[in-house]
Amino acid sequence: STRVRSSAASDVYKRQVRPNDVEEIVEHIFIKQGYLVESKNSYDKKGEDSDRTFIKPLPILSEINDEIGSCRVYVQIKKKDGEYDEDEGIKQLEKIVATKENIEGKDNKFNNFYKVLVCTGEFSSRIKELAQEKNIILIDGIQLIRMCLKNI
C-alpha cells in the first residue's frame, strides 16, 4: 500500500540523509540562483553560528557602486522529521546576525540582509509566528523539495 511505501521511504531518508547532506542541498539551490557562498558554519565565538551565509550582487546597483550593490543571506538549517517547534534555529539566526552586522557596523557594504530558517519537516504555528515577528523567512520540507526539483 501507499502508506507502507511512504513509511519505508521515510525510514531510508532518516538513515541515509545526514544534516550535512541537507546543508549541501540548500547550498546547491542558492548557487543555482546566482548566490555566492560567503561562509560555511560561520561561528561568532559566542556559541552561535549560521550554517551557510550567501551573498548576491544586485543587478544595476552593483555596477554603479559595488560597496552597496549586494545582499547577504544568513541560513540556519535543521534536519527535523515532523513538526519543528524549537526556538534554537531562530535564536541562532538572531544572535549571529546581531554579532556579524555589529562587527561590520557602518563599514558593512551589505546593507540588505535576510535571515532564513530551513527545516526538512514542517514548522509549528508558534514558530511561524515567532519567525514573522523576527523577520525570518521560513522554508519547510515541502518548499525545500519544490526548490530541489526546480534547481537540480
Side-chain angles (χ1 to χ4, degrees):
S1 85
T2 305
R3 185 168 180 89
V4 171
R5 271 186 267 136
S6 174
S7 176
S10 178
D11 289 345
V12 168
Y13 165 79
K14 287 176 192 174
R15 282 194 311 270
Q16 295 183 349
V17 178
R18 301 177 320 257
N20 190 49
D21 296 332
V22 180
E23 291 173 14
E24 293 294 328
I25 290 167
V26 170
E27 180 179 317
H28 180 77
I29 291 168
F30 272 83
I31 289 170
K32 286 283 273 192
Q33 290 299 315
Y35 289 82
L36 307 171
V37 178
E38 182 182 48
S39 66
K40 296 181 182 189
N41 301 312
S42 174
Y43 295 96
D44 68 358
K45 298 186 174 124
K46 296 178 184 173
E48 302 305 328
D49 74 314
S50 64
D51 293 318
R52 294 291 187 276
T53 305
F54 299 97
I55 57 172
K56 183 169 186 175
L58 302 172
I60 301 172
L61 295 180
S62 59
E63 292 174 26
I64 295 168
N65 183 342
D66 65 351
E67 290 295 306
I68 60 167
S70 295
C71 71
R72 179 180 281 147
V73 181
Y74 296 92
V75 182
Q76 189 64 43
I77 303 160
K78 301 294 180 190
K79 181 181 178 287
K80 174 76 174 166
D81 300 319
E83 187 175 79
Y84 182 79
D85 190 44
E86 300 164 28
D87 295 349
E88 177 192 22
I90 289 175
K91 288 179 181 174
Q92 287 173 312
L93 279 170
E94 288 288 287
K95 289 178 183 174
I96 192 75
V97 167
T99 300
K100 293 286 186 181
E101 295 299 322
N102 276 344
I103 287 171
E104 295 175 6
K106 291 185 168 74
D107 296 327
N108 179 8
K109 63 184 173 186
F110 303 97
N111 296 323
N112 301 320
F113 64 88
Y114 301 92
K115 301 170 282 189
V116 178
L117 179 59
V118 178
C119 174
T120 55
E122 59 186 277
F123 295 102
S124 70
S125 55
R126 184 180 73 83
I127 294 300
K128 288 177 184 174
E129 288 173 23
L130 187 58
Q132 189 171 8
E133 288 171 22
K134 307 278 187 183
N135 292 319
I136 294 174
I137 299 162
L138 299 177
I139 299 174
D140 66 19
I142 299 294
Q143 291 168 308
L144 184 59
I145 290 168
R146 286 185 183 132
M147 293 167 98
C148 284
L149 293 173
K150 281 184 182 176
N151 293 287
I152 292 181

